[in-house]
Amino acid sequence: MCFGDCRYDLHLDALDNGRIRNFLKTAQADGPLLVVDSEIVRDNYLKFARALPDTRVFYAVKANPAPEILQLLADLGSCFDCASVVEIDMALATGVSPDRISFGNTIKKERDVAAAFSRGVRLFAVDCFEEVEKIERAAPGARVFCRILADGAGAEWPLSRKFGCVPEMAADVLEHAHRRGLVAYGVSFHVGSQQNNGAWDQALASAAEIFRECERRGISLAMVNLGGGFATRYLKDIPAVEAYGNSIFEALRAHFGNRIPETIIEPGRGMVGNAGVIEAEVILVSKKSQAEDEIRWVYLDIGKFGGLAETMDEAIRYPIRTAHDGEATSPCVLAGPTCDSADVMYEKNAYPLPISLSIGDKVLIEATGAYTTTYAAVAFNGFAPLASVVI
Ligand SMILES: *Cc1c(COP(=O)(O)O)cnc(C)c1O
């Protein structure tokens, strides 16, 4: 674990090139503002494309659906992983053809499946027999892939048991699809977001076993969807995209031999996380008693409901820059501005901030390009949703 002084050693791309700082000099935002640097998103896309040259990229739209980001990625050749009809329409608005869209949510209303099908989408996620039957009725003949559970070990934002079936059930689900005239296309998993280890190996072992089982039943699967999970650097160092690429490739070779299937990845956080910086303001710095060693509370104009939802359970620990960096620090409780007592971001693991930090100061919250703008309350307490610009 690295926080406190060592955070100053980190080079987080979004502030390295000066573009965001320059923009903020003249932006005069009245509330918190997310600024996303499109050059970094472009760089991230190219890194994925180079590290996994035979893998198609389906950007997970939910991570940041800003139209400029979707357009940039579409122009670079990306495909899109969408969770709803609204996200499908956002992707289509870039001009991509519907064969570059996957409806990757395993929990869909049948009429939304029909709406996607009528827009030309032909690739759907399933994780149970019931969902297969919805696809059969609303999207006849479409391709389906079966999501399997991955345990999420090694992930800082695990995805629990909500999505996917046990690997032993997948061949039955895919056979069910096959018998109902759908194309049993492949297997998917998500190893958990902000994944720091080689969890892909275990998941790929399961996927290969499902391929073999389907083969025995006369069904040849074509694709493995490797999901997301690629990390963004917050305060700890993370594996480079190249390292993920190598371990995925090795795992594919180990489990599929020379019959390597078609693969896709669905990066969300890894595509946009490090491209964004939120400028926020210190509303209050105070103490709960006059005791000498009493901890300081720092209240920002952004919190759990305004875009930093991933601080829930102190899961994601964002780097915070101030104009006083380099000066002496002391641990602080960091909280948001709303009247909900849950709106405290870091308390168990207090956050070191400069002692000279004071009311009215601006702070820069780094690596906030993913899961911020759309992960915010609409108007809780009257606070506006997080504003954002792409430069
Ligand atoms: C959220 C999600 C992703 C993106 O995950 P990251 O960890 O942000 O890369 C990819 N695929 C699916 C199906 C998802 O639900």
Side-chain angles (χ1 to χ4, degrees):
M1 185 73 194
C2 166
F3 66 94
D5 285 341
C6 56
R7 71 200 160 99
Y8 303 117
D9 301 333
L10 295 176
H11 292 286
L12 290 147
D13 332 17
L15 287 177
D16 280 352
N17 65 17
R19 275 164 47 85
I20 290 181
R21 278 196 203 274
N22 279 343
F23 176 84
L24 284 170
K25 270 184 205 147
T26 53
Q28 305 220 327
D30 184 47
L33 175 67
L34 169 67
V35 187
V36 178
D37 185 343
S38 57
E39 285 184 5
I40 293 172
V41 179
R42 175 194 307 275
D43 192 54
N44 289 339
Y45 179 86
L46 296 175
K47 279 187 179 137
F48 279 117
R50 268 196 299 269
L52 291 151
D54 300 318
T55 299
R56 282 202 300 165
V57 176
F58 281 66
Y59 170 59
V61 171
K62 73 169 185 283
N64 190 325
E68 301 89 338
I69 293 175
L70 300 183
Q71 191 64 56
L72 169 70
L73 291 172
D75 295 345
L76 287 167
S78 187
C79 304
F80 297 95
D81 166 47
C82 299
S84 64
V85 177
V86 170
E87 284 189 358
I88 289 170
D89 284 340
M90 289 171 164
L92 288 172
T94 65
V96 298
S97 52
D99 62 344
R100 284 166 65 184
I101 292 174
S102 162
F103 200 162
N105 192 343
T106 51
I107 305 153
K108 302 175 286 297
K109 287 181 179 163
E110 191 167 322
R111 57 183 179 275
D112 288 346
V113 174
F117 189 72
S118 74
R119 287 158 170 77
V121 175
R122 295 290 180 271
L123 185 60
F124 296 86
V126 296
D127 66 359
C128 61
F129 304 100
E130 295 78 0
E131 196 74 14
V132 163
E133 287 159 20
K134 286 188 208 166
I135 313 278
E136 178 205 357
R137 289 187 296 266
R143 291 171 166 179
V144 295
F145 54 90
C146 183
R147 177 146 169 191
I148 56 172
L149 283 165
D151 71 3
E156 287 179 29
W157 191 263
L159 294 173
S160 81
R161 289 179 50 78
K162 183 170 176 186
F163 314 101
C165 61
V166 296
E168 297 71 36
M169 181 169 136
D172 290 340
V173 170
L174 288 162
E175 184 178 353
H176 194 60
H178 176 75
R179 289 178 186 278
R180 291 179 173 243
L182 298 169
V183 179
Y185 197 60
V187 175
S188 81
F189 49 79
H190 192 302
V191 292
S193 206
Q194 190 69 4
Q195 175 59 251
N196 288 309
N197 72 15
W200 279 275
D201 186 71
Q202 180 54 47
L204 280 167
S206 301
E209 181 48 39
I210 296 162
F211 269 59
R212 285 190 292 271
E213 179 56 30
C214 283
E215 202 69 58
R216 284 191 281 273
R217 302 181 190 190
I219 302 165
S220 48
L221 303 180
M223 180 211 54
V224 177
N225 175 347
L226 301 152
F230 306 92
T232 260
R233 184 158 56 176
Y234 296 104
L235 288 165
K236 288 186 264 185
D237 278 339
I238 55 154
V241 171
E242 295 72 23
Y244 285 122
N246 288 338
S247 55
I248 287 172
F249 186 69
E250 276 165 30
L252 281 167
R253 285 298 288 269
H255 301 296
F256 287 88
N258 54 12
R259 299 184 62 192
I260 292 187
E262 176 191 334
T263 50
I264 70 177
I265 52 170
E266 301 173 329
R269 190 187 305 280
M271 188 72 83
V272 291
N274 69 336
V277 173
I278 290 173
E279 184 186 66
E281 182 179 331
V282 176
I283 303 180
L284 182 64
V285 182
S286 64
K287 293 185 173 184
K288 303 289 173 194
S289 87
Q290 289 167 301
E292 192 56 30
D293 58 353
E294 184 71 31
I295 194 163
R296 282 182 302 155
W297 282 64
V298 172
Y299 300 89
L300 301 179
D301 62 354
I302 186 169
K304 261 185 194 156
F305 301 99
L308 303 180
E310 287 200 314
T311 58
M312 209 184 294
D313 301 326
E314 309 197 13
I316 298 291
R317 198 167 170 88
Y318 294 105
I320 299 174
R321 299 267 184 125
T322 75
H324 310 280
D325 287 353
E327 298 173 18
T329 66
S330 72
C332 298
V333 177
L334 193 70
T338 67
C339 299
D340 188 311
S341 56
D343 194 9
V344 175
M345 295 180 281
Y346 306 118
E347 181 173 19
K348 281 192 210 80
N349 197 355
Y351 204 104
L353 287 169
I355 292 164
S356 51
L357 187 71
S358 42
I359 295 169
D361 282 352
K362 298 280 188 181
V363 299
L364 296 177
I365 309 170
E366 293 182 280
T368 43
Y371 304 122
T372 50
T373 52
T374 48
Y375 222 168
V378 172
F380 180 43
N381 268 179
F383 293 107
L386 178 59
S388 107
V389 293
V390 178
I391 59 170

